[in-house]
Amino acid sequence: MFDIAYRLWLLRQFSKLFLPPLAAVYTALRLLEHTSNPLVITRDPDVLKCIVSTGFPNFGKGEPAQIRFRSFLGKGIFASDGERAKMHRALARPYFARERISDYNAFQRHSAKVCDILLSHARRSEPCDVQDLFARFTMDTAGEFLFGRDDFNTLDMPLAQPNVEMAEGSKSAAVQGGYGDFVNAFEAAQILATRRLAMGTYGWTMAEFFDDPVKRHMRVVDSYLEPLVRDAVRRRKNLEPEEKGEYESFLDHLADSTSDVPLIKDQLLNILLAARDTTAQLLSWTCYVLALHPDIMDRLRQEVLAAYGESGVPTFENIKTLKYRKHLPKPPPLTPPLTLRRLRTVRAILDEVLRLFPPVPINVRSPFNDATVVPTRQGPLYFSSAGMLCTWSVPSMHKRKDLWGEDADKFDPERWIDPSRARKVVDNPFMFLPFNGGPRICIGQQFAYNEASFVMIRLMQLFDRFTLAQKDAAPASALPPESWKTANGRKQFEEAWPKNAITLYSKVGLLPEVDV
């Protein structure tokens, strides 16, 4: 136990005192080289290109990482290597490879509830915890495309009233009821599993020798998910072949592929983590930066109104029949794929949010073999032994000034619109990795872009302004430390405290007031 505590203290001191100046010079650092847990920390796109793409067969999550997250993610896609990882992707890819009318219908139904809730708060001049709100939106949407259920209705349940004394959950406001039990357990398990990363390869096993706290929370999560899985498997078995038709949900797709309940449950849990948490955080941080930059919100709103008016709804059906005509007073509905090509500001803002606040900020890999060499522009990087941990910070790489310019710490969507600046990412795509890359790139990337774009278009049709209400309506744990005001980099700008528990979040959430 003393060794674990000392290791944590040492890493904290190193991070505070030495990592910033060293990171300004080196893009890959070797730490604890002569210990049982050697470590490489990198923010070099060349290294990451090799690890996740060109040298992909030589690297994986590694057995220690899989064990670290097994009690949370089971043997799902995010905690697998090799053939099992390929099997999970092969199961999931056909379902995510096409866009479905039902996806956009779900976006419309549930985003309408989000808008109604925000309008209600605006009329009462009350702030709203948008992190909780968007997590419910993505949960209800995921309920349809993952589980084939339209009765989750978490947006119909009471929201916590934001104030400085509000009850706190693990990552956001505490939620009551059966859904609350699931969310609180789901988020607590994420935090506990993430903490293991700082305890060395197997140090966390000593701290949890007598009790695995993640399993306690996962029993609650399993009690919520397992009946849904068993019901789907039973229902699918009872259908005649001619009755099955197109899969109504991802769960139906899995149930038609296998009757292995633990396998289906692990796959669903992993995809749910991606479908609920990552998109909810993208939407939350987008509202946050628009509150800090009202001029950019004005530009976004003007672009949306020019394309859709105040009531046009993006739909799936019109993609083949409608052309974009900017000067129509009330243009007909357009499809999200066409929107992403035409409404440049929407996509530019989402990409800039993903650059500064990537949904999964930390990732790890390990070489499968001894003496693995990664070529870089600064010279070869050697991994002396198999299993040697390599970790990278996506936000750190996304804010390298030599890659992104002297304004790398600032929110500027123009960097994605200006051809000369946008060209940098085209020429060096591994400098921008919000969805990972290579063979394990996120298979739900386009779904996330479509969902987030749809919601932001609907919000811009209704609201003139977002006002951040963190200081008046959030507990102290949601606010950045006072020392950040004099810190270097982006910290000095922040009015919310970004934290990591597998996905990036802000404690309790972002609480904007909306003026209609």
Side-chain angles (χ1 to χ4, degrees):
M1 292 297 292
F2 173 79
D3 178 67
I4 295 172
Y6 176 73
R7 179 186 176 86
L8 289 172
W9 177 86
L10 184 65
L11 286 175
R12 287 194 199 101
Q13 299 308 309
F14 180 87
S15 298
K16 289 179 182 178
L17 300 178
F18 302 109
L19 194 55
L22 285 173
V25 179
Y26 301 101
T27 57
L29 298 171
R30 300 169 66 93
L31 305 178
L32 307 171
E33 178 68 27
H34 300 293
T35 71
S36 59
N37 296 303
L39 173 68
V40 170
I41 299 177
T42 186
R43 56 178 193 148
D44 187 338
D46 290 344
V47 175
L48 300 183
K49 179 181 179 180
C50 179
I51 288 176
V52 306
S53 182
T54 57
F56 176 79
N58 301 317
F59 289 86
K61 292 183 176 292
E63 189 64 22
Q66 294 177 61
I67 294 173
R68 187 183 299 119
F69 287 100
R70 185 155 295 161
S71 57
F72 173 48
L73 296 173
K75 296 182 179 181
I77 191 170
F78 297 141
S80 298
D81 273 333
E83 293 304 315
R84 189 166 66 230
K86 289 181 182 178
M87 177 269 295
H88 280 299
R89 291 185 70 86
L91 276 176
R93 189 182 293 109
Y95 190 78
F96 286 94
R98 65 188 189 280
E99 295 174 301
R100 291 165 297 278
I101 295 173
S102 58
D103 291 343
Y104 304 111
N105 291 340
F107 297 164
Q108 169 61 6
R109 283 193 299 276
H110 301 303
S111 66
K113 291 184 180 181
V114 168
C115 292
D116 287 343
I117 290 169
L118 287 174
L119 281 170
S120 176
H121 280 261
R123 292 178 179 127
R124 300 194 306 268
S125 297
E126 292 180 354
C128 178
D129 181 352
V130 293
Q131 181 171 258
D132 180 25
L133 181 67
F134 289 135
R136 293 171 187 239
F137 164 76
T138 53
M139 183 68 184
D140 286 352
T141 304
E144 294 201 32
F145 88 87
L146 283 183
F147 301 100
R149 299 281 296 269
D150 59 3
D151 57 354
F152 278 15
N153 295 327
T154 64
L155 284 165
D156 295 336
M157 301 174 186
L159 273 71
Q161 176 58 45
N163 58 70
V164 294
E165 297 179 351
M166 69 187 297
E168 300 179 44
S170 297
K171 292 174 68 174
S172 59
V175 183
Q176 305 302 317
Y179 168 68
D181 293 340
F182 165 78
V183 167
N184 295 332
F186 189 53
E187 294 181 347
Q190 292 178 47
I191 289 176
L192 290 169
T194 304
R195 285 177 183 171
R196 293 170 173 173
L197 187 61
M199 297 184 182
T201 304
Y202 295 110
W204 62 272
T205 62
M206 296 173 60
E208 300 179 11
F209 186 79
F210 295 104
D211 177 49
D212 180 348
V214 174
K215 286 185 176 180
R216 294 201 304 271
H217 296 293
M218 292 309 297
R219 283 193 285 270
V220 177
V221 172
D222 288 346
S223 69
Y224 191 85
L225 294 181
E226 193 161 316
L228 299 176
V229 175
R230 293 191 180 280
D231 179 65
V233 171
R234 183 168 51 251
R235 185 178 67 249
R236 204 71 187 171
K237 278 184 176 180
N238 292 335
L239 289 177
E240 297 297 330
E242 63 273 11
E243 294 179 305
K244 292 184 178 181
E246 184 178 354
Y247 299 120
E248 295 181 1
S249 69
F250 184 55
L251 179 52
D252 287 332
H253 167 71
L254 293 177
D256 213 31
S257 305
T258 177
S259 59
D260 186 334
V261 171
L263 172 65
I264 296 175
K265 181 168 62 66
D266 286 348
Q267 181 78 309
L268 277 173
L269 181 68
N270 282 246
I271 299 298
L272 179 61
L273 175 64
R276 174 186 178 267
D277 287 49
T278 57
T279 309
Q281 294 308 318
L282 173 57
L283 289 167
S284 298
W285 289 113
T286 301
C287 287
Y288 168 73
V289 295
L290 292 178
L292 295 180
H293 300 275
D295 56 324
I296 295 175
M297 182 169 175
D298 287 341
R299 175 179 170 181
L300 174 61
R301 178 168 161 77
Q302 290 169 11
E303 184 176 84
V304 168
L305 292 178
Y308 289 99
E310 295 181 353
S311 58
V313 179
T315 63
F316 180 87
E317 293 89 344
N318 305 91
I319 188 169
K320 294 181 180 179
T321 58
L322 294 178
K323 300 292 185 181
Y324 178 83
R325 288 180 289 170
K326 186 173 181 179
H327 300 295
L328 285 175
K330 281 194 175 182
L334 303 176
T335 64
L338 186 57
T339 297
L340 294 180
R341 290 198 297 270
R342 296 294 190 181
L343 300 186
R344 295 191 302 168
T345 304
V346 176
R347 179 61 179 262
I349 286 174
L350 292 177
D351 280 339
E352 186 68 347
V353 171
L354 288 168
R355 184 181 72 85
L356 293 174
F357 305 101
V360 182
I362 304 293
N363 215 326
V364 298
R365 291 292 188 273
S366 297
F368 292 130
N369 303 304
D370 293 340
T372 300
V373 180
V374 173
T376 78
R377 294 172 214 193
Q378 295 183 334
L381 176 65
Y382 295 96
F383 289 84
S384 56
S385 58
M388 186 174 177
L389 187 66
C390 178
T391 182
W392 62 90
S393 166
V394 181
S396 178
M397 182 176 68
H398 284 182
K399 287 179 277 191
R400 279 182 54 180
K401 293 183 178 180
D402 59 323
L403 296 176
W404 298 92
E406 288 301 313
D407 65 344
D409 291 319
K410 296 182 180 179
F411 178 77
D412 181 15
E414 190 64 30
R415 75 177 77 247
W416 300 95
I417 297 174
D418 181 340
S420 62
R421 300 172 73 185
R423 186 72 195 176
K424 293 180 180 180
V425 179
V426 175
D427 294 339
N428 188 6
F430 288 88
M431 65 188 269
F432 182 61
L433 288 180
F435 295 102
N436 207 347
R440 296 192 74 148
I441 193 170
C442 175
I443 57 178
Q445 174 179 342
Q446 194 56 52
F447 181 92
Y449 271 126
N450 288 345
E451 185 175 28
S453 298
F454 191 104
V455 174
M456 293 313 302
I457 288 168
R458 301 300 285 151
L459 292 180
M460 291 304 101
Q461 290 174 310
L462 289 173
F463 302 112
D464 297 307
R465 186 75 68 239
F466 293 146
T467 304
L468 200 64
Q470 287 285 93
K471 295 179 180 178
D472 299 324
S477 61
L479 304 176
E482 284 294 317
S483 59
W484 280 25
K485 293 179 180 178
T486 57
N488 295 322
R490 176 134 191 113
K491 284 184 177 181
Q492 59 188 297
F493 308 126
E494 300 298 8
E495 295 188 32
W497 191 348
K499 299 184 180 183
N500 174 40
I502 299 182
T503 57
L504 194 70
Y505 72 101
S506 173
K507 185 69 173 182
V508 176
L510 310 168
L511 311 167
E513 298 169 343
V514 285
D515 301 325
V516 185

